[in-house]
Amino acid sequence: MKTVISSKNFPMNDALKERIESKLGKFEKYFSKDSIANVMVSKQKDLNKIEVTFKAGGTLFRAEALSDDVNSSLDKVEDKLFTQITRFKSKLQNKYKNNRDIIFQELPDKSSEEHEDDFVIAKTKEFELRPMSPEEAILQMELLNHDFFIFMNTETGKVNVIYTRKNGHYGLINPKY
């Protein structure tokens, strides 16, 4: 597994890089050598944030954590990733039966107390997809008091999603076909 470490507003040192590689090295037995782990270490106000994204074949595993101490953030991210991987083991196994990117026999089974959560679609909604600019979509989203809005982008002719980010800014999802 390849690990790519980058930082933003954070002084990176060799000791931290080694600790990150050591922590993420524990996951190597679950993924092929072609898998990639992207790590972003950043400083946000007085907190340290670590984001880790594993890319294994067509599957992404992602976790992030904020805390006063960067080592604490790293420990939290490690725990979150391990929980994700073990929680969805059987669903991933069913989807990727012959996949070589995830090594299922190395993944531990969930404890017998925990039951497998099924994905439940609680509500289905249909609506008219209207052509509009991203700015119009933001206005419509705000008027509806929603966190996201799906629309046909007049600039690209594609279906897009506009959403509110945690920092209060907006994000635009423009799919590749």
Side-chain angles (χ1 to χ4, degrees):
M1 179 173 67
K2 180 181 176 188
T3 304
V4 179
I5 302 171
S6 52
S7 65
K8 179 178 163 185
N9 301 328
F10 187 89
M12 184 61 67
N13 60 45
D14 290 338
L16 180 57
K17 283 184 181 179
E18 287 177 18
R19 181 155 162 60
I20 290 170
E21 288 174 356
S22 170
K23 285 279 188 184
L24 298 182
K26 296 175 184 176
F27 292 95
E28 284 184 346
K29 62 184 174 184
Y30 307 133
F31 301 105
S32 73
K33 294 183 187 331
D34 298 332
S35 300
I36 299 171
N38 288 305
V39 181
M40 172 60 80
V41 182
S42 60
K43 188 90 164 165
Q44 294 185 348
K45 297 183 183 176
D46 294 333
L47 297 175
N48 298 297
K49 180 178 182 180
I50 294 187
E51 300 172 61
V52 177
T53 304
F54 283 126
K55 186 174 182 182
T59 304
L60 294 174
F61 297 92
R62 184 179 182 283
E64 66 180 56
L66 278 164
S67 72
D68 296 335
D69 178 45
V70 71
N71 291 319
S72 177
S73 294
L74 183 57
D75 292 340
K76 288 178 185 176
V77 164
E78 178 189 24
D79 291 343
K80 287 180 181 182
L81 286 168
F82 187 76
T83 300
Q84 276 182 12
I85 291 168
T86 55
R87 180 174 174 217
F88 295 109
K89 176 184 177 180
S90 64
K91 284 185 177 26
L92 290 168
Q93 240 174 337
N94 292 338
K95 184 176 179 182
Y96 299 108
K97 288 181 179 155
N98 298 319
N99 190 323
R100 301 272 185 240
D101 293 313
I102 303 172
I103 305 165
F104 294 107
Q105 58 272 21
E106 292 294 332
L107 288 172
D109 289 321
K110 290 173 45 171
S111 68
S112 58
E113 312 169 353
E114 299 179 52
H115 62 282
E116 182 97 14
D117 295 330
D118 288 331
F119 298 122
V120 177
I121 298 173
K123 184 177 181 180
T124 301
K125 210 174 194 181
E126 288 186 21
F127 65 97
E128 184 179 334
L129 199 60
R130 298 183 43 220
M132 59 182 72
S133 70
E135 291 77 19
E136 291 173 291
I138 291 171
L139 177 62
Q140 188 65 53
M141 177 182 70
E142 293 296 335
L143 289 170
L144 292 170
N145 198 26
H146 286 175
D147 297 329
F148 68 94
F149 189 77
I150 302 170
F151 66 103
M152 178 70 72
N153 191 331
T154 55
E155 297 167 8
T156 64
K158 294 181 180 179
V159 174
N160 286 182
V161 176
I162 197 89
Y163 63 96
T164 307
R165 296 177 53 87
K166 291 178 186 174
N167 63 7
H169 296 290
Y170 299 102
L172 176 69
I173 298 175
N174 188 11
K176 290 182 183 179
Y177 296 104

